[in-house]
Amino acid sequence: MSASTFPDGFLWGGALAANQSEGAYLEGGKGLTTVDMIPHGPNRLPVKLGLEKRVALRNDEFYPSHQAIDFYHRYKEDIALMAEMGFTVFRTSIAWSRLYPNGDDAAPNPAGIAFYRDVFNECRKYGIEPLVTLCHFDVPMHLVTEYGSWRNRKMVDFFTRYARTCFEAFDGLVKYWLTFNEINILLHSPFSGAGLVFEAGENQDQVKYQAAHHELIASALATRIAHEVNPVNQVGCMLAGGNFYPWSCKPEDVWAALEKDRENLFFIDVQARGAYPSYSARVFREKGVHIDMLDGDAEILKNTVDFVSFSYYASRCASADMNEHNSSAANIVKSLTNPHIQRSEWGWGIDPLGLRITMNMMYDRYQKPLFLVENGLGARDDINVDGKIEDDYRISYLREHIRAMADAIADGVPVMGYTTWGCIDLVAASTGEMSKRYGFVYVDRDDHGNGTLARRKKKSFGWYRKVIASNGRDLD
Ligand code: BG6
């Protein structure tokens, strides 16, 4: 392997998302969104899973998204830091409820459009290409309470209107788009993933897969609209990635791993290949799921994406005997604990070779360019007596994963770019913590909302600048 395998024009950068960075949750005409209802603390998980209904904020809870890292007011400083590292791409998302505060409004909110035009212009000032996710774990709350979110077909119209507004309003500023962040997370974290709340006794699989169908239709239509508005637009799907390894070579374990992979890849199979995969009929039958489809849906789904993007934090592991008690979640998806790899402080596996395996599998399956849009190590950082943050553990994680990505490129996999997750520290999606940090830039804020929000460069900041300047040759 040689790190010089990265092609000219390879996009290097980092990623944030509106819901975990912007804050200003009711400023500029923004409406309440799903993430604004998800508290820090013991109630977080049941709300995220759609098991505990939240339609109003409570006085006795802390909501980390409300201020987050205040990117809304500090984006100029943050983008300048990205430019100093040499970013050529910055991934972020648009908060749907900044443009359509209720989701079903007749016209978009001009203040929301103005804010994102300013952000994207700021990127362009430094030659940074924005990579924009339309929906990253936030659905306007009015759409949840009034329509039941994605269980309702009307969401397709609301979403495509919003998507068209984005493509038209930001035409010439943005050309790389993602429709739904980690679309498969709808299955694993239904409220944070798709605004779904369950009623007692209903078939949750039915609700989830019908909602998935609506998202897949909306994604395909948005892809078509993006191309109509400007053929230069390139649209990607986005998978919470990481292959499942079989626990053993026992055929039953191998089959279990294949089934688990299909559960996640189902979404990308539709978005990248343009039709429901052949295995889905049997899976739906077993789960008692019947998808309501309209005439013309099969045609709509043929609007496939231009590229396949994905997050990769860890590989996963499955066996025929896997159950609630012997598995645990890493990036929300349940896995057995693989004894052959190390784990982060939060128990997520560390497996760079798993990235190479995942990338090869995905390119074999889809034959479309890949974009690794999230990767990184969530870790606690300490400020030493000299005021420095020596995050060698983060450098080491990223170095090994960049090497694995270079190996995949050498294997023949076309890769458009790499954006590390949480390039500036932000709120963790799973736990709502600030102490689970991913950034090259430290943000002074704790898990309870205390701190000045001041930014401070970590050791990894200078390291990543060298990586980018050398187009991935200098990883030392
Ligand atoms: C992905 C999401 O699931 O993983 C991000 O797209 C999230 O929104 C990231 O933040 C890391 O997870 P966590 O829980 O450590 O923030």
Side-chain angles (χ1 to χ4, degrees):
M1 190 282 298
S2 150
S4 61
T5 6
F6 293 97
D8 288 346
F10 185 85
L11 294 166
W12 291 98
L16 304 177
N19 84 86
Q20 289 156 265
S21 66
E22 282 180 8
Y25 79 115
L26 289 179
E27 282 183 55
K30 179 180 166 296
L32 273 179
T33 187
T34 41
V35 72
D36 297 326
M37 317 305 290
I38 304 179
H40 178 56
N43 298 336
R44 187 172 182 84
L45 194 60
V47 175
K48 271 168 65 80
L49 298 183
L51 303 174
E52 194 177 316
K53 201 178 204 155
R54 278 304 153 89
V55 288
L57 297 170
R58 282 170 38 167
N59 291 330
D60 59 342
E61 285 179 334
F62 168 61
Y63 301 92
S65 75
H66 290 190
Q67 194 182 21
I69 59 159
D70 197 31
F71 179 79
Y72 186 78
H73 295 111
R74 294 165 194 252
Y75 67 90
K76 287 194 178 166
E77 180 190 353
D78 289 344
I79 293 169
L81 287 162
M82 296 174 199
E84 197 180 327
M85 279 185 276
F87 280 22
T88 50
V89 61
F90 166 46
R91 175 179 178 228
T92 189
S93 66
I94 294 174
W96 186 348
S97 67
R98 266 193 208 291
L99 264 55
Y100 287 91
N102 297 300
D104 61 355
D105 318 68
N109 166 26
I113 292 181
F115 169 68
Y116 290 108
R117 284 194 69 85
D118 287 349
V119 169
F120 302 143
N121 271 315
E122 196 67 16
C123 292
R124 294 239 155 249
K125 182 169 120 189
Y126 297 106
I128 298 174
E129 196 68 63
L131 164 61
V132 177
T133 314
L134 291 170
C135 189
H136 190 134
F137 296 167
D138 57 359
V139 175
M141 269 312 285
H142 176 72
L143 298 182
V144 175
T145 49
E146 201 54 33
Y147 301 93
S149 191
W150 284 100
R151 57 169 81 214
N152 192 324
R153 176 89 190 196
K154 287 192 177 132
M155 289 293 279
V156 173
D157 293 336
F158 300 140
F159 183 80
T160 49
R161 177 166 40 175
Y162 157 64
R164 180 180 286 283
T165 299
C166 292
F167 301 140
E168 289 177 352
F170 310 124
D171 188 31
L173 290 174
V174 180
K175 70 173 184 217
Y176 294 111
W177 298 93
L178 305 177
T179 51
F180 293 94
N181 179 64
E182 296 190 332
I183 188 165
N184 51 315
I185 292 304
L186 178 159
L187 298 179
H188 309 280
S189 187
F191 181 71
S192 64
L196 298 176
V197 184
F198 299 107
E199 303 299 333
E202 70 182 338
N203 178 349
Q204 294 190 4
D205 286 324
Q206 171 65 34
V207 175
K208 289 194 257 187
Y209 280 103
Q210 187 64 56
H213 180 68
H214 295 149
E215 285 200 357
L216 291 166
I217 291 289
S219 176
L221 285 171
T223 304
R224 186 166 85 192
I225 296 166
H227 293 152
E228 279 165 11
V229 170
N230 192 339
V232 99
N233 280 326
Q234 291 194 44
V235 184
C237 51
M238 202 304 200
L239 169 81
N243 269 28
F244 272 94
Y245 300 144
W247 179 254
S248 78
C249 54
K250 197 166 83 176
E252 288 79 4
D253 287 351
V254 177
W255 177 250
L258 185 143
E259 288 263 87
K260 285 281 174 197
D261 273 338
R262 280 179 167 177
E263 191 176 85
N264 291 307
L265 293 170
F266 157 75
F267 296 83
I268 310 303
D269 286 351
V270 178
Q271 290 175 295
R273 304 197 298 211
Y276 273 56
S278 47
Y279 58 81
S280 58
R282 193 255 311 158
V283 172
F284 291 159
R285 215 166 36 243
E286 286 173 3
K287 292 182 184 296
V289 168
H290 168 78
I291 308 281
D292 268 333
M293 294 206 194
L294 298 187
D295 287 347
D297 278 3
E299 266 314 297
I300 291 172
L301 292 178
K302 288 183 186 157
N303 293 286
T304 56
V305 290
D306 303 301
F307 64 95
V308 173
S309 83
F310 66 107
S311 60
Y312 179 86
Y313 295 91
S315 56
R316 300 158 178 152
C317 192
S319 79
D321 308 317
M322 189 169 164
N323 58 45
E324 285 291 296
H325 309 291
N326 61 11
S327 61
S328 61
N331 199 13
I332 316 175
V333 181
K334 291 269 174 71
S335 167
L336 296 172
T337 301
N338 183 342
H340 303 289
I341 60 175
Q342 293 190 324
R343 288 193 296 287
S344 77
E345 289 170 84
W346 272 264
W348 295 19
I350 300 178
D351 180 12
L353 180 54
L355 173 60
R356 182 180 182 182
I357 294 167
T358 298
M359 293 178 81
N360 274 275
M361 176 282 298
M362 283 177 47
Y363 188 61
D364 285 352
R365 194 168 178 123
Y366 301 121
Q367 300 282 299
K368 298 214 183 222
L370 303 185
F371 205 138
L372 178 45
V373 298
E374 283 187 34
N375 173 238
L377 178 73
R380 272 177 231 286
D381 290 323
D382 291 318
I383 303 178
N384 68 20
V385 284
D386 303 322
K388 295 203 169 113
I389 300 159
E390 310 267 359
D391 56 340
D392 294 281
Y393 36 89
R394 182 167 294 108
I395 293 172
S396 155
Y397 177 99
L398 294 172
R399 179 190 291 126
E400 293 313 313
H401 285 76
I402 292 172
R403 284 198 174 124
M405 179 171 54
D407 286 340
I409 293 172
D411 292 333
V413 177
V415 187
M416 296 165 66
Y418 177 66
T419 56
T420 66
W421 178 246
C423 49
I424 296 177
D425 290 345
L426 40 52
V427 177
S430 52
T431 59
E433 292 165 303
M434 270 304 299
S435 48
K436 189 180 186 194
R437 297 174 183 275
Y438 288 87
F440 305 113
V441 174
Y442 183 92
V443 175
D444 179 25
R445 183 171 166 86
D446 71 13
D447 293 344
H448 309 286
N450 307 303
T452 62
L453 291 163
R455 277 51 172 163
R456 185 191 292 245
K457 295 173 201 170
K458 305 180 193 175
K459 184 175 177 184
S460 55
F461 184 99
W463 172 82
Y464 197 45
R465 184 169 51 195
K466 272 196 314 164
V467 172
I468 297 176
S470 66
N471 196 25
R473 278 181 195 86
D474 185 357
L475 297 175
D476 294 336

